[in-house]
Amino acid sequence: MGSVNRRAALAGMVGVFGATALPATQTALPEKGRLKGHLEDAPFSVTDLLRVIGRSDGAVAIRWTDGVLTGHVDAKSVPLCRVLSQIFSRHRLRADGGFDTVVFELAYFTDLDRRELLETWTNPFTGKTVAVPKTMLGPTPYVITPALQAVREPRYSGGAPFTHRFLVESAQDDLWVTESLDSVMPAPAPGIPPFGFHENFTYRTSRTALHEHRPLDTLVQKHNVLSWRPWMMMQGVSGITTTRAYGRVIDDVARLPDAFQRLNAQHGQGVTDDLQGLLQFDA
C-alpha cells in the first residue's frame, strides 16, 4: 500500500493517494520537557510522552476517536456527520535516545446515528449531493528526538507550513498532554478555497501510574476547527467546521468499539490484519 498525503486526503480530493504524508513538523514540550501543573515540577521525558500517546516498546498502539463534525454558517450550527478515526502507530528506541515512529490513519465518515459509512452526502446548507472520500493515510515515518522534537524528511512534506506541538499540564493525579496541529493546505484546484485546520487531541492519564511505570489508561478528547473540506462543495459560503470527539489509546484491535470493528471488516481493506507488517520502520 503506497504512502498518502494526510491533509490532501482529509481535504477529500481522492480516497487513497500514491504520494506522501504529513508535512515536516517541529514538536516541542514547554521548558525543556518539565511537567507544569499545580504540584511541583517533575521531569517529563520522550519515553513518558510515548507511553501517554502510544507505546514505547515497539508494539502497535491505536488511538481511536469517535465524534461529530458540525458546520457553522452565521448563527446556524448543523451537525453534518460522524468521523470515526484510528491512528495506528509504532515507536522504536534509537541509539541517540530518541524514537523512530511510523503511523497510519484509517478513518470513516458516517451518518450521525447508526455509524454507517457514507458513500454520498447531501449538504444541508446547499442541498447538493456529493461523493464522500475514503481515508487511508500512510504509512508515515518520522523521528522523535530526545529533545522532544518530531522531525520528518523533506520527502514526506506536503509543501505547506505545518506546526505540530505538545503541551503538558497536570493537577493532582491528572496528567494532560495536548497535541496541536496547524496548517493551511493550498487550493487543490481553481475556484476551490484552501483547506485550513487547527486540530487538538488532549490525552488524559494518571500522573502516579506514569511515574510508577504502571500500565496507563489514556483517554482522548479531540477538538478541531477546520475550513470546509473541498469535497463538500461549499465555494462561496463563509463558515467553518468543528469536530468534537472522544476516544482512547489502546494496544489491541480487539478492544476497538463495535462500530470500528464492523467498519474495518466491511471497508478496511485488510489494513488491521497485519499492523506489524504495515507499520515498518525505515532501515
Side-chain angles (χ1 to χ4, degrees), residues 1 92 254:
M1 185 178 299
R92 178 182 66 182

Side-chain angles (χ1 to χ4, degrees), residues 8 10-13 188 192-195 228-235:
L10 279 179
M13 299 311 296
I192 297 178
F195 174 61
W228 304 115
R229 287 170 169 84
W231 60 264
M232 292 181 169
M233 302 299 290
M234 289 290 282
Q235 294 93 317

Side-chain angles (χ1 to χ4, degrees), residues 163-177:
T163 60
H164 183 174
R165 60 195 180 276
F166 293 92
L167 174 66
V168 184
E169 300 176 288
S170 70
Q172 298 180 349
D173 191 46
D174 290 311
L175 172 67
W176 298 279
V177 175

Side-chain angles (χ1 to χ4, degrees), residues 95-115:
D96 63 5
F99 283 85
D100 292 315
T101 297
V102 60
V103 299
F104 188 94
E105 180 173 10
L106 176 60
Y108 306 105
F109 295 98
T110 77
D111 67 357
L112 291 166
D113 299 322
R114 297 176 301 161
R115 294 174 173 81

Side-chain angles (χ1 to χ4, degrees), residues 219-234:
L219 300 176
V220 183
Q221 293 286 328
K222 175 170 123 178
H223 301 279
N224 294 350
V225 181
L226 311 97
S227 59
W228 304 115
R229 287 170 169 84
W231 60 264
M232 292 181 169
M233 302 299 290
M234 289 290 282

Side-chain angles (χ1 to χ4, degrees), residues 80-204:
L80 304 177
C81 62
R82 300 192 78 89
V83 183
L84 279 68
S85 173
Q86 303 154 94
I87 300 290
F88 308 103
S89 65
R90 291 180 65 202
H91 307 278
R92 178 182 66 182
L93 184 64
R94 296 164 55 90
D96 63 5
F99 283 85
D100 292 315
T101 297
V102 60
V103 299
F104 188 94
E105 180 173 10
L106 176 60
Y108 306 105
F109 295 98
T110 77
D111 67 357
L112 291 166
D113 299 322
R114 297 176 301 161
R115 294 174 173 81
E116 296 290 345
L117 186 73
L118 293 175
E119 301 283 354
T120 61
W121 172 74
T122 300
N123 189 320
F125 294 106
T126 67
K128 296 178 181 178
T129 298
V130 298
V132 179
K134 295 179 174 62
T135 304
M136 294 186 181
L137 314 169
T140 304
Y142 59 93
V143 172
I144 301 178
T145 73
L148 306 174
Q149 302 292 314
V151 180
R152 289 172 173 81
E153 295 182 13
R155 63 192 175 101
Y156 294 104
S157 172
F162 193 100
T163 60
H164 183 174
R165 60 195 180 276
F166 293 92
L167 174 66
V168 184
E169 300 176 288
S170 70
Q172 298 180 349
D173 191 46
D174 290 311
L175 172 67
W176 298 279
V177 175
T178 298
E179 180 179 8
S180 297
L181 305 93
D182 300 271
S183 191
V184 178
M185 303 302 294
I192 297 178
F195 174 61
F197 58 88
H198 172 62
E199 297 187 333
N200 296 278
F201 300 87
T202 298
Y203 306 80
R204 184 274 164 196

Side-chain angles (χ1 to χ4, degrees), residues 4 6 46-47 49 61 74 118 123 126 136 183 229 242 253 272:
V4 290
R6 181 175 196 272
V46 62
T47 302
L49 174 66
D74 298 326
L118 293 175
N123 189 320
T126 67
M136 294 186 181
S183 191
R229 287 170 169 84
T242 60
V253 293
T272 60

